[in-house]
Amino acid sequence: MRAEVTGKSTKKAFSKGDMAVYPAHGVGCIESIESQEINGDTMSFYMMKIVENGMTIMIPTSNVESVGLREVIPETEVPQVYEVMQKKTQASDNQTWNRRYREYMDKIKTGSIYDVAEVFRDLFQLKLAKDLSFGERKLLDTAQNLLVQELSMAKDVDEALMIKEIENLFS
């Protein structure tokens, strides 16, 4: 990946073979960069294949920032993600489960691994105190999958080993 400076902002540019994170979908590989004509305009797209399920996503190269496509975090940031997960929080039990669900979903959609780590931590701690709703259990699984994918990629370790490492943070 390289950064192109256009005017004042820095635009991220990915190359074929780069690994990237697409918010709420996880880690994927840029398989190709293709041009297609849409309504008379020629547009460039990243063709990204999501690692977990093989789904291919077309991302306009001009929309990288607005959709939140970003690089996988470097291994040096992994301890900071662990810190977020280990931070003790006050359970927000006064909120209804659907309000919590919306807040957590919004955080996951940001694409920030730190936000995903907060969702995982909060739901994991809540699970220890009480039963989670079906939606919250699904969100916990989603947050865990997103974390495991990116952290295992950052550390270049197997996902099963990453799951064990995350579990050890809470024991």
Side-chain angles (χ1 to χ4, degrees):
M1 194 203 107
R2 67 187 193 290
E4 291 175 0
V5 178
T6 50
K8 284 186 252 174
S9 66
T10 308
K11 185 175 162 189
K12 294 178 183 144
F14 293 89
S15 303
K16 181 179 177 182
D18 284 351
M19 299 305 281
V21 178
Y22 191 85
H25 289 282
V27 177
C29 180
I30 305 293
E31 300 232 303
S32 63
I33 302 166
E34 299 178 7
S35 293
Q36 292 190 8
E37 191 173 311
I38 298 174
N39 295 332
D41 291 328
T42 301
M43 295 179 67
S44 271
F45 293 89
Y46 292 120
M47 303 302 286
M48 180 175 175
K49 189 172 197 163
I50 301 298
V51 172
E52 184 184 37
N53 55 21
M55 176 173 59
T56 299
I57 300 174
M58 287 177 63
I59 305 154
T61 57
S62 58
N63 287 9
V64 167
E65 259 117 52
S66 64
V67 300
L69 188 67
R70 63 174 176 79
E71 294 180 285
V72 173
I73 63 164
E75 187 173 359
T76 54
E77 281 186 44
V78 172
Q80 293 161 279
V81 176
Y82 286 174
E83 280 177 34
V84 170
M85 284 194 283
Q86 289 179 302
K87 195 178 285 178
K88 297 285 184 231
T89 60
Q90 296 297 322
S92 54
D93 224 16
N94 53 350
Q95 289 184 330
T96 60
W97 71 267
N98 54 348
R99 173 168 279 155
R100 275 195 310 266
Y101 180 86
R102 276 196 310 274
E103 282 181 16
Y104 292 149
M105 203 60 214
D106 289 344
K107 281 187 175 185
I108 286 175
K109 287 178 185 174
T110 67
S112 162
I113 191 161
Y114 298 102
D115 286 348
V116 173
E118 283 179 20
V119 170
F120 177 78
R121 172 201 66 208
D122 293 352
L123 285 170
F124 191 88
Q125 290 176 2
L126 191 61
K127 182 179 138 186
L128 298 176
K130 65 181 207 163
D131 288 338
L132 298 179
S133 70
F134 176 76
E136 288 173 320
R137 286 195 310 269
K138 295 273 294 167
L139 266 183
L140 178 61
D141 289 345
T142 299
Q144 181 176 343
N145 288 339
L146 292 171
L147 277 171
V148 167
Q149 283 177 36
E150 185 165 0
L151 292 174
S152 63
M153 187 72 57
K155 291 187 72 171
D156 196 21
V157 298
D158 184 64
E159 286 188 8
L161 184 65
M162 196 71 247
I163 290 169
K164 282 186 175 64
E165 206 168 299
I166 289 172
E167 286 171 353
N168 287 340
L169 293 175
F170 291 96
S171 58

